Amino acid sequence: MTTATAASTSLKPVKITPEELDAFSAKHPQGSFQQTSQMAAMGAYSGEIDYVGVKRGGDTGELVAACYVVYTKGRLGLEGSVWCGPLCDYDDPQVVEAMTEALRRSAKAHHAISVSCWPAAVYQLHDLDGKPTSDPDTAMMENMARFGWKHGGFTVGYEKVINRWNFIKGLDGIHDEQELLASFSKYRRKNIRIAQDAGLTVRRLRRDELGTFVKLCDMSAARQGFKGRDVAYYERLFDTFGENIEFNVVETHFDEYLKTLETKLAAADKDKHNLERQLERARAAAENGEAPKKKGASDPATLEKRIATADKKIGALKQDITKVQGIIDSDGPVIPVDAGVYFWHPNEEVCLSSGEDDRFMDYYPSSLIHFHSMLDCIARGVTRFNFYGISGIFDENDPSYGVWQFKTRFGGFVEELPGKFTLPVDGLRFAAAEAAHKLLHR
């Protein structure tokens, strides 16, 4: 027996427990909240769940690959889905073969037509401009094809199920707030300062406040032309994930901000009056033929320019005060303006979705909420903040460019995943389903 054959025969497709999946996901480099028993529990609202894996050395051996599968109704029967999995070494053909067999057995036991999966393994890395920084993982593609998986193609754009392109902020080596800010672009640092100066704060929502989150998400959904999820769905997420999920909200405190603006206005008025007195003295001295003590700083021409600048500052502060007072009168001082749902996993924190009241975009609440979450990552020792999906189109003329640009100003890199693979299990029904799909989408 060859070494390769021995390795292959020692790998056994097995059933696993939810606890085994969670432990494996927590340590595996591809592990995420998507491949946990909590997300499987969410999937159970849509269909049947099965936990499968591969062990080296039999039922009591080492677990080397794992996932859960959700079986939902398709056009001609049940279809299996593995979101962000299976968790395995796709460059090892023996592991891929054994994991494929585990999923095939599971699908047959459920009388399913097929199983589709969206691996979390990286196909290729890219920089901020979308330029490749690593070689593509062709071994993964070859192994999946070798054992019967059909690839859905290297797509771009936002996907309906699992995004193929994700933007990642690496936090390894960043130890505190100052180092984190230094890793952002100058523009993003300015945004965060504006949000903080305006009195915006971030806090965690309680379960009975999830309606606030949904309301903000619905605002964004309406602008972007899609329908969001209802409160019941997020309540299930809240109950299922417990401490591993956070619904965060950014709130204004415009009563405090108003006091800050009024203090700045009083200081600006005082500075202007001082400048005006200096100008009077400078003019009087000039009429008497006396030279200014400090040339360029207190001569009349310079003082007039400084007074004009002070007038502009005072005018801007008065406009801000009027604006903020109007908001307080109509909406009150404390207003939810941005919210996001964040999942915690030992590997990373993921922002799955968010929403914003665009009336307050000039205060940059979306910059503040992600900054707050990254600080939490640093405190917990989590070294990846996953912004999740981008389109994979790195063109400033593309409609999605604004989303891409927003994320890049935090610094980071792009992970391109391989996308969707489908394993036919019932050949006849799968062929019929494929023909129906082509007919309906021709």
Side-chain angles (χ1 to χ4, degrees):
M1 181 182 292
T2 66
T3 303
T5 303
S8 179
T9 56
S10 69
L11 297 176
K12 182 179 179 181
V14 295
K15 296 281 189 178
I16 62 172
T17 65
E19 294 75 18
E20 283 181 302
L21 175 64
D22 287 340
F24 189 74
S25 177
K27 295 180 180 179
H28 199 278
Q30 298 162 20
S32 73
F33 81 95
Q34 291 277 18
Q35 278 297 316
T36 60
S37 62
Q38 289 86 11
M39 201 62 189
M42 290 297 297
Y45 285 96
S46 302
E48 301 174 35
I49 303 294
D50 198 8
Y51 291 87
V52 298
V54 174
K55 289 187 176 181
R56 179 171 282 114
D59 292 333
T60 60
E62 173 195 9
L63 190 63
V64 297
C67 69
Y68 72 89
V69 196
V70 182
Y71 290 100
T72 55
K73 291 181 179 179
R75 290 191 180 93
L76 298 178
L78 290 181
E79 298 173 354
S81 296
V82 182
W83 303 316
C84 292
L87 307 178
C88 71
D89 182 357
Y90 290 88
D91 291 348
D92 186 327
Q94 283 79 37
V95 172
V96 174
E97 180 181 19
M99 191 69 230
T100 301
E101 181 58 26
L103 288 168
R104 183 179 283 110
R105 291 180 185 181
S106 172
K108 287 183 176 179
H110 287 81
H111 307 289
I113 298 172
S114 61
V115 175
S116 293
C117 72
W118 293 260
V122 175
Y123 172 71
Q124 192 168 34
L125 294 172
H126 302 257
D127 65 14
L128 285 175
D129 299 316
K131 297 177 182 176
T133 58
S134 73
D135 293 329
D137 189 349
T138 55
M140 169 170 53
M141 307 306 296
E142 291 168 358
N143 287 333
M144 292 295 280
R146 175 181 173 185
F147 297 110
W149 293 89
K150 298 180 180 296
H151 187 223
F154 293 111
T155 58
V156 294
Y158 294 102
E159 301 290 343
K160 293 181 179 179
V161 182
I162 298 295
N163 280 301
R164 207 173 78 78
W165 300 82
N166 291 326
F167 188 75
I168 311 297
K169 170 67 177 180
L171 299 169
D172 194 23
I174 298 177
H175 305 95
D176 55 36
E177 181 175 338
Q178 293 307 311
E179 290 181 0
L180 180 60
L181 284 168
S183 72
F184 298 160
S185 72
K186 182 179 179 180
Y187 180 85
R188 183 62 69 230
R189 292 196 296 271
K190 180 181 178 182
N191 296 160
I192 292 168
R193 186 173 65 251
I194 290 171
Q196 293 172 329
D197 290 346
L200 272 59
T201 60
V202 182
R203 70 174 179 87
R204 190 170 180 175
L205 289 170
R206 302 185 307 272
R207 188 182 191 277
D208 61 356
E209 297 178 300
L210 292 180
T212 297
F213 171 80
V214 172
K215 181 179 179 181
L216 288 164
C217 286
D218 285 346
M219 288 181 181
S220 292
R223 288 196 304 271
Q224 297 168 23
F226 67 90
K227 183 175 176 58
R229 293 182 180 273
D230 59 15
V231 174
Y233 172 78
Y234 291 109
E235 287 176 341
R236 290 198 298 271
L237 277 178
F238 189 99
D239 296 338
T240 302
F241 278 87
E243 288 302 310
N244 292 328
I245 193 171
E246 288 185 17
F247 291 86
N248 292 332
V249 64
V250 181
E251 293 175 328
T252 65
H253 289 269
F254 280 156
D255 49 350
E256 298 175 11
Y257 184 36
L258 186 60
K259 292 177 184 178
T260 299
L261 291 173
E262 290 170 341
T263 299
K264 288 182 177 180
L265 178 60
D269 277 330
K270 183 178 180 180
D271 288 342
K272 179 187 174 183
H273 291 320
N274 288 336
L275 289 169
E276 287 174 337
R277 285 196 295 269
Q278 291 179 45
L279 179 59
E280 288 177 6
R281 290 194 295 268
R283 284 173 174 169
E287 289 174 0
N288 294 329
E290 299 175 10
K293 293 180 180 180
K294 295 181 180 179
K295 290 184 177 180
S298 56
D299 62 276
T302 299
L303 288 167
E304 287 170 359
K305 289 180 180 178
R306 293 175 66 187
I307 290 170
T309 301
D311 277 332
K312 289 181 180 179
K313 182 177 181 180
I314 289 169
L317 284 167
K318 286 181 177 179
Q319 284 183 347
D320 287 344
I321 287 171
T322 300
K323 179 181 178 182
V324 171
Q325 187 62 66
I327 294 171
I328 292 173
D329 291 342
S330 62
D331 295 83
V334 180
I335 309 164
V337 296
D338 193 288
V341 56
Y342 298 83
F343 292 83
W344 287 99
H345 184 274
N347 283 345
E348 63 182 10
E349 183 184 16
V350 177
C351 177
L352 184 66
S353 60
S354 61
E356 183 179 31
D357 186 336
D358 61 2
R359 294 178 300 163
F360 302 94
M361 291 175 67
D362 289 346
Y363 297 103
Y364 302 102
S366 54
S367 296
L368 185 65
I369 196 170
H370 293 317
F371 175 57
H372 176 273
S373 292
M374 290 180 200
L375 288 175
D376 278 352
C377 285
I378 294 169
R380 296 189 187 202
V382 175
T383 58
R384 275 171 55 102
F385 181 81
N386 191 339
F387 279 97
Y388 228 42
I390 58 173
S391 69
I393 303 172
F394 309 101
D395 182 351
E396 63 182 12
N397 296 314
D398 186 78
S400 67
Y401 185 77
V403 175
W404 163 241
Q405 187 180 52
F406 170 78
K407 296 178 180 181
T408 61
R409 284 172 170 165
F410 287 94
F413 59 95
V414 177
E415 286 185 346
E416 180 187 356
L417 306 183
K420 181 181 179 180
F421 293 92
T422 301
L423 179 70
V425 177
D426 184 320
L428 185 61
R429 286 192 295 159
F430 179 79
E434 287 286 279
H437 177 80
K438 291 178 181 178
L439 182 64
L440 293 172
H441 292 81
R442 63 183 178 182

